[in-house]
C-alpha cells in the first residue's frame, strides 16, 4: 500500500513522558522488557540505514544522516534515492518493529502505540498478508487497548475500496445486464457514492466518540470525497440500495449498514485517543510469536521476557475538544494531554485508492 499525507495521531501522553524513553511510538518503560525493546529498535534502525545506504540509488548515507532516517524527509530532499526503494526499506523496518513489540513489549500489543506501528507496516508494504498480522485487529474489550480500534477502521476501508472497484466493473448486480451508456455511467457513479458514504460510516460508526480528524477523516474528504463531488451523491444514495444491491453491506465488503447522505451527516466525536485500563499479564502468543510477512516469509520470534512481571498503564479517559457538528468539516483541535508531540497518524488515504477512484471517475465522464 502506498503512502500519502498523514493525519495527526493522538497517542496517550503519560504523566512521566518527559522522563520516559520514547522508542518509536512507545514509552519503552511501559514494556515488559524495556532494555530489550530499546535495543531491538536500535538494531532495526541500523538495518534500515544499511538498506537505504546500500540499495537506494547507489547509496544514500549522506541523505540518511542529514534527514535523521526520516523517510518523508528523504523522499522530499533526496528524490534521487527513489521513493519505491525507501518504501521497501521502511516496509522491512516496520515489520521488524512488529517483531520487537512481540518480543519485548508483548504487554502493549493492543495499545494505540502498537496499532500505529502495524498501520505503518500496512502503509509502506505492498501486498501485505493482512490475515497473517499478529494481534490485528485488536479484539473487542481487550485489556490495555486503544480507545478507538483503528485496525477495524483500516480493515473496513480496505474492503470498501475493493468493493467499489468490483461494483464499478460489474453492472449485473441489480438483476439486469446494462447496455445503455447513461445507465452504466449512473450505476458507476452510484458505486462511488456508496463507497464514499461507507467510508464515512466506517470512521464515525466505529469510533463515534473520537475526533475524526485523528482518524484521517480530513484526508479522505480532501483527497477523495470533495474531488469526487460527494456533495452531489444524495440522489444516487436515495435511489440505490448500497448495502444490498451494490454489495457494501456484505462482511467481505466492509459490512456497512448505515449509509449517510451529504445532507445528513453524523456528529463529530470530541475525544482524543487513549489506552483503556487493563493488564496483559502473559504473552498472548505464548513463548514464540509466529506471523506471516507477505504470503510466504514467516517471522518466528522468541519471547525471552515471557516471565516478566508487568503493570498496566492508567487510562486517561481521553480529552474533549470543541467539535464541529458536521462530518464534512472535521474537528481539528488537539487534546494536548493525550497527544505525543510530533507523532503522525498511520491511518492514511493510500495513493492506490486515489488512483483507483480517479480512474473510475474518468471512465464515467468518457
Amino acid at each position: 500500500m502506498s503512502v500519502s499525507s498523514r493525519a495527526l495521531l493522538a497517542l496517550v501522553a503519560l504523566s512521566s513522558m518527559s522522563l520516559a524513553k520514547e522508542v518509536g511510538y512507545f514509552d519503552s518503560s511501559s514494556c515488559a522488557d524495556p532494555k530489550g525493546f530499546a535495543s531491538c529498535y536500535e538494531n532495526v534502525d541500523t538495518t534500515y540505514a544499511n538498506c537505504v545506504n546500500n540499495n537506494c540509488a547507489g547509496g544514500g548515507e549522506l541523505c540518511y544522516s542529514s534527514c535523521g532516517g526520516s523517510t518523508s524527509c528523504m523522499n522530499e530532499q533526496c528524490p534521487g534515492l527513489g521513493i519505491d526503494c525507501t518504501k521497501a526499506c521502511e516496509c522491512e523496518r516496520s515489520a521488524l518493529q512488529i517483531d520487537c513489540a512481540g518480543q519485548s513489549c508483548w504487554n502493549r500489543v493492543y495499545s494505540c502505540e502498537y496499532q500505529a506501528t502495524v498501520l505503518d507496516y500496512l502503509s509502506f508494504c505492498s501486498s501485505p498478508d493482512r490475515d497473517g498480522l499478529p494481534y490485528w485487529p485488536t479484539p473487542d474489550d481487550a485489556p490495555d487497548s486503544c480507545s478507538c480500534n483503528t485496525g477495524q477502521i483500516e480493515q473496513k476501508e480496505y474492503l470498501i475500496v475493493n468493493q467499489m472497484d468490483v461494483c464499478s466493473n460489474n453492472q449485473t448486480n441489480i438483476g439486469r445486464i446494462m447496455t445503455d451508456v447513461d445507465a452504466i455511467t449512473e450505476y458507476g457513479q452510484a458505486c462511488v457514492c456508496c463507497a464514499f458514504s461507507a467510508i464515512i460510516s466506517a470512521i464515525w460508526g466505529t469510533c463515534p466518540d473520537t475526533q475524526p480528524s485523528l482518524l484521517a477523516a480530513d484526508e479522505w474528504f480532501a483527497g477523495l470525497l470533495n474531488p469526487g463531488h460527494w456533495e452531489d451523491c444524495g440522489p444516487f444514495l436515495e435511489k440505490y440500495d448500497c448495502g444490498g444491491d451494490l454489495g457494501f453491506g456484505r462482511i467481505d465488503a466492509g459490512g456497512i449498514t448505515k449509509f449517510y447522505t451529504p445532507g445528513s451527516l453524523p456528529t463529530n466525536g470530541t475525544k482524543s485517543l487513549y489506552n483503556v485500563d487493563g493488564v496483559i499479564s502473559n504473552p498472548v502468543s505464548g513463548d514464540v510469536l509466529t506471523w506471516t510477512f507477505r504470503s510466504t516469509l514467516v517471522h518466528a520470534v522468541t519471547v525471552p521476557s515471557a516471565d516478566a512481571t508487568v503493570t498496566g498503564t492508567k487510562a486517561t479517559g481521553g480529552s474533549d475538544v470543541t467539535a464541529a457538528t458536521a462530518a464534512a468539516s472535521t474537528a481539528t483541535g488537539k487534546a494536548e494531554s493525550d497527544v505525543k508531540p510530533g507523532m503522525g497518524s498511520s491511518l492514511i488515504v493510500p495513493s492506490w485508492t486515489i488512483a483507483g477512484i480517479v480512474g473510475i471517475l474518468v471512465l464515467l465522464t468518457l
Side-chain angles (χ1 to χ4, degrees):
M1 183 182 293
S2 299
V3 179
S4 64
S5 60
R6 293 167 178 253
L8 289 177
L9 172 68
L11 292 174
V12 180
L14 304 176
S15 59
S16 59
M17 186 62 67
S18 60
L19 300 177
K21 181 176 182 180
E22 292 186 14
V23 178
Y25 292 113
F26 294 83
D27 162 15
S28 62
S29 67
S30 68
C31 294
D33 179 11
K35 291 183 179 179
F37 186 67
S39 176
C40 186
Y41 259 63
E42 289 173 1
N43 292 335
V44 169
D45 286 342
T46 299
T47 299
Y48 174 67
N50 290 336
C51 179
V52 173
N53 295 338
N54 296 332
N55 298 295
C56 297
E61 185 171 357
L62 180 60
C63 183
Y64 179 91
S65 298
S66 63
C67 283
S70 167
T71 300
S72 59
C73 172
M74 288 188 289
N75 290 339
E76 180 179 350
Q77 301 297 327
C78 315
L81 291 177
I83 292 178
D84 289 340
C85 182
T86 54
K87 276 175 50 186
C89 293
E90 188 68 71
C91 171
E92 180 186 29
R93 175 162 71 170
S94 57
L96 293 174
Q97 288 172 342
I98 291 174
D99 287 350
C100 291
Q103 173 182 298
S104 300
C105 205
W106 47 261
N107 57 311
R108 305 301 316 285
V109 294
Y110 294 145
S111 66
C112 297
E113 292 87 342
Y114 179 78
Q115 286 191 160
T117 304
V118 175
L119 286 167
D120 276 349
Y121 168 80
L122 292 172
S123 300
F124 288 112
C125 298
S126 60
S127 303
D129 182 359
R130 293 166 173 273
D131 294 333
L133 281 168
Y135 325 117
W136 186 262
T138 301
D140 293 334
D141 302 319
D144 193 30
S145 59
C146 192
S147 58
C148 172
N149 196 324
T150 55
Q152 287 187 4
I153 294 178
E154 195 279 338
Q155 187 176 63
K156 289 178 182 178
E157 291 172 344
Y158 174 77
L159 295 173
I160 289 166
V161 172
N162 284 347
Q163 178 60 21
M164 179 193 64
D165 184 59
V166 170
C167 178
S168 300
N169 289 286
N170 176 17
Q171 288 91 39
T172 63
N173 282 355
I174 56 176
R176 69 179 187 275
I177 297 176
M178 295 183 185
T179 56
D180 180 75
V181 174
D182 290 340
I184 292 174
T185 300
E186 179 183 301
Y187 181 89
Q189 184 64 58
C191 292
V192 172
C193 287
C194 286
F196 287 172
S197 181
I199 291 293
I200 291 174
S201 186
I203 296 173
W204 275 262
T206 305
C207 299
D209 296 331
T210 304
Q211 302 168 50
S213 60
L214 303 178
L215 307 175
D218 290 340
E219 281 67 30
W220 279 102
F221 271 92
L224 288 178
L225 274 69
N226 291 339
H229 302 290
W230 158 249
E231 72 278 5
D232 297 328
C233 280
F236 298 97
L237 295 170
E238 292 174 2
K239 180 177 180 179
Y240 288 85
D241 178 7
C242 294
D245 291 339
L246 300 194
F248 289 90
R250 298 197 320 270
I251 296 300
D252 64 350
I256 302 301
T257 58
K258 175 67 175 178
F259 292 88
Y260 295 97
T261 64
S264 179
L265 294 170
T267 301
N268 285 341
T270 61
K271 290 188 177 296
S272 57
L273 295 175
Y274 60 94
N275 292 318
V276 302
D277 286 326
V279 179
I280 300 176
S281 301
N282 298 291
V284 179
S285 62
D287 292 341
V288 178
L289 164 66
T290 302
W291 66 284
T292 306
F293 174 60
R294 293 203 170 99
S295 59
T296 57
L297 182 59
V298 176
H299 280 216
V301 181
T302 301
V303 184
S305 56
D307 296 328
T309 300
V310 297
T311 58
T313 57
K314 183 175 178 58
T316 64
S319 298
D320 282 309
V321 297
T322 301
T325 57
S329 178
T330 60
T332 56
K334 291 184 290 185
E336 296 296 344
S337 64
D338 292 272
V339 176
K340 281 186 179 180
M343 287 295 179
S345 173
S346 297
L347 264 177
I348 63 167
V349 184
S351 60
W352 62 266
T353 298
I354 296 176
I357 292 182
V358 168
I360 292 171
L361 294 175
V362 168
L363 290 175
L364 294 179
T365 60
L366 294 179

